[in-house]
Amino acid sequence: LWTPSAPPAEGHLRADHKAQQYELSYGFKLNRQPFNGQGALATVAVKWLRRLLGRRVTWATYNALAYIASGLRLVSPSREGRPLGITAAVLVYNDPDWLPLALEDAASMADEVLVVDSSDPWDETEKALEEARSGLGIRVVRQYPPQGWAEAKGLALRESKYRYVLMWDSDFIAFEGLGKLLRAFVEGEGRDKYVLLYWPLITLCGDLSHRCRADRYHEEHFAFTYSRRLKYLWDGREDYLFAPPYYFRRRLSSAPLGLHLTGVRRPEVLARKRLSRDVGFHSIASSQGVEVAMKAVRRRARELYGTDDLREVGMRMIEEDVRSRPCFEVSSLPARVIERAKEIGVPLGSCP
């Protein structure tokens, strides 16, 4: 089975867009592991099967196959030789704003926190990771220069130690209760089954008062049983998880269990990242230094916005971005999210 690891969702950056950010903006050429011909045919077949049968029937078909394989004891996760538990794999690339909260949540839910870090040496992310190393006991594996999300996830799979893997982004925030639900499933129903475990997240864009889309959550298999046969691959547009057909599909909850703050950053960081694409920030920083690259960014800001104040430029970008976004009640956010936003200067926003 070829399963998209990140299907289109509210404001969720597609993997091809992330690839463009790496390759066009930062000067790295991604080492993508492409599908072979057989894999490409399998991908097309599964996509058409989903469209034809719908998600409910498709899941029922997969679950029937998994039930047969499990019932006949043809497969068993215990044969993988891993202890029962959860490895939280956190993928990081130049993204420190919400990282402390994401790591705290990962540590509260998992037996091990593994960070795959592809951040640039001059980025602030390293400082946040150093603080987390001492406070949370996380384990960091460097992948630099960046090789793409599929390669980073594959590295996380190989480095993980426990029977279940939780793929957790640096801008994910868990709602209260997610950890208990996940632990109860892992130690109960999912104890000796191969499972892809789904739940939805609310995705915010621009500021903390706007959703990316009102009619869709970001839902995918955020947790799953480890198998030596699992692979993350790249189909030219997005990364895919290759999962054998004996995996059950389960939804942990139909209600959102957390936040994906995919488009919520400090205004100055947002402005720098977007303008970096225009000036080739990484190439300049690598050859001439970060200060020269930042001068190029500010020069581009003056050309487009009449000012080199990146926070002001970022605020304008956010105002433009949220203009057509649906409102979200900021008071419903966990207090620690609001506190973190105030601490680092992320706008709370407002809705009429």
Side-chain angles (χ1 to χ4, degrees):
L1 170 66
W2 301 86
T3 306
S5 62
E10 305 176 336
H12 188 63
L13 284 176
R14 295 286 293 275
D16 53 330
H17 294 167
K18 292 182 178 179
Q20 291 171 9
Q21 288 178 3
Y22 281 138
E23 296 180 354
L24 300 181
S25 306
Y26 300 108
F28 289 131
K29 195 70 176 177
L30 297 185
N31 177 21
R32 302 172 183 163
Q33 184 178 4
F35 285 155
N36 55 28
Q38 183 179 1
L41 290 175
T43 305
V44 173
V46 169
K47 287 182 178 179
W48 277 105
L49 179 65
R50 283 181 180 149
R51 291 180 182 178
L52 180 64
L53 301 179
R55 182 175 186 178
R56 181 176 297 181
V57 176
T58 305
W59 273 28
T61 303
Y62 294 148
N63 286 339
L65 293 173
Y67 181 81
I68 294 171
S70 179
L72 295 177
R73 303 298 296 174
L74 299 178
V75 295
S76 173
S78 60
R79 298 173 191 168
E80 302 284 353
R82 291 192 166 203
L84 185 64
I86 304 168
T87 292
V90 184
L91 309 184
V92 180
Y93 177 72
N94 291 358
D95 202 8
D97 283 3
W98 302 107
L99 183 58
L101 297 188
L103 291 175
E104 288 174 7
D105 286 345
S108 71
M109 293 186 288
D111 301 284
E112 171 195 33
V113 178
L114 169 68
V115 175
V116 177
D117 177 33
S118 300
S119 302
D120 293 313
W122 54 77
D123 189 75
E124 303 168 61
T125 302
E126 180 61 27
K127 180 181 178 182
L129 287 177
E130 282 300 325
E131 293 174 355
R133 268 197 188 103
S134 58
L136 299 174
I138 65 173
R139 183 160 60 98
V140 179
V141 177
R142 281 285 283 172
Q143 185 199 62
Y144 194 82
Q147 300 298 304
W149 297 110
E151 291 289 337
K153 290 177 179 179
L155 178 58
L157 283 181
R158 295 190 297 272
E159 291 286 337
S160 62
K161 295 180 179 179
Y162 288 93
R163 188 174 300 179
Y164 271 80
V165 178
L166 169 67
M167 283 293 176
W168 197 250
D169 282 5
S170 58
D171 52 8
F172 283 5
I173 307 295
F175 286 164
E176 185 177 356
L178 171 55
K180 289 183 179 179
L181 284 174
L182 179 59
R183 181 67 63 175
F185 182 89
V186 168
E187 296 180 354
E189 179 187 347
R191 185 181 187 90
D192 200 31
K193 291 181 179 177
Y194 287 101
V195 182
L196 299 178
L197 195 57
Y198 293 71
W199 63 83
L201 301 176
I202 298 172
T203 311
L204 301 185
C205 279
D207 57 33
L208 294 177
S209 294
H210 292 85
R211 290 180 62 177
C212 300
R213 287 183 59 172
D215 61 341
R216 188 179 297 174
Y217 295 121
H218 175 195
E219 182 174 8
E220 59 176 282
H221 40 73
F222 295 113
F224 47 83
T225 320
Y226 171 81
S227 168
R228 295 180 183 88
R229 297 186 180 183
L230 284 177
K231 291 182 181 178
Y232 279 99
L233 300 175
W234 179 267
D235 73 348
R237 298 186 62 206
E238 55 190 358
D239 55 287
Y240 274 75
L241 177 65
F242 171 77
Y246 47 74
Y247 269 76
F248 287 93
R249 274 73 183 161
R250 290 287 188 269
R251 178 182 266 174
L252 189 62
S253 170
S254 58
L257 293 178
L259 301 167
H260 185 185
L261 304 177
T262 179
V264 184
R265 298 294 183 272
R266 285 171 289 164
E268 58 271 29
V269 172
L270 176 67
R272 176 177 59 80
K273 287 189 174 184
R274 290 189 181 178
L275 295 175
S276 291
R277 306 171 195 174
D278 295 343
V279 303
F281 179 92
H282 192 277
S283 296
I284 298 175
S286 298
S287 59
Q288 303 177 54
V290 178
E291 291 185 6
V292 177
M294 286 303 302
K295 287 181 180 179
V297 169
R298 293 191 178 95
R299 185 165 55 248
R300 183 59 173 165
R302 284 195 299 271
E303 293 173 359
L304 296 178
Y305 296 93
T307 178
D308 61 2
D309 185 333
L310 294 185
R311 184 167 181 86
E312 179 182 341
V313 171
M315 290 298 295
R316 292 188 198 177
M317 291 178 174
I318 291 171
E319 290 172 5
E320 178 66 26
D321 183 43
V322 303
R323 190 169 297 166
S324 59
R325 302 284 188 186
C327 290
F328 180 77
E329 183 52 61
V330 69
S331 62
S332 65
L333 291 170
R336 58 201 176 93
V337 173
I338 297 177
E339 291 170 4
R340 175 66 179 171
K342 292 179 178 179
E343 176 188 345
I344 63 177
V346 167
L348 300 182
S350 61
C351 270

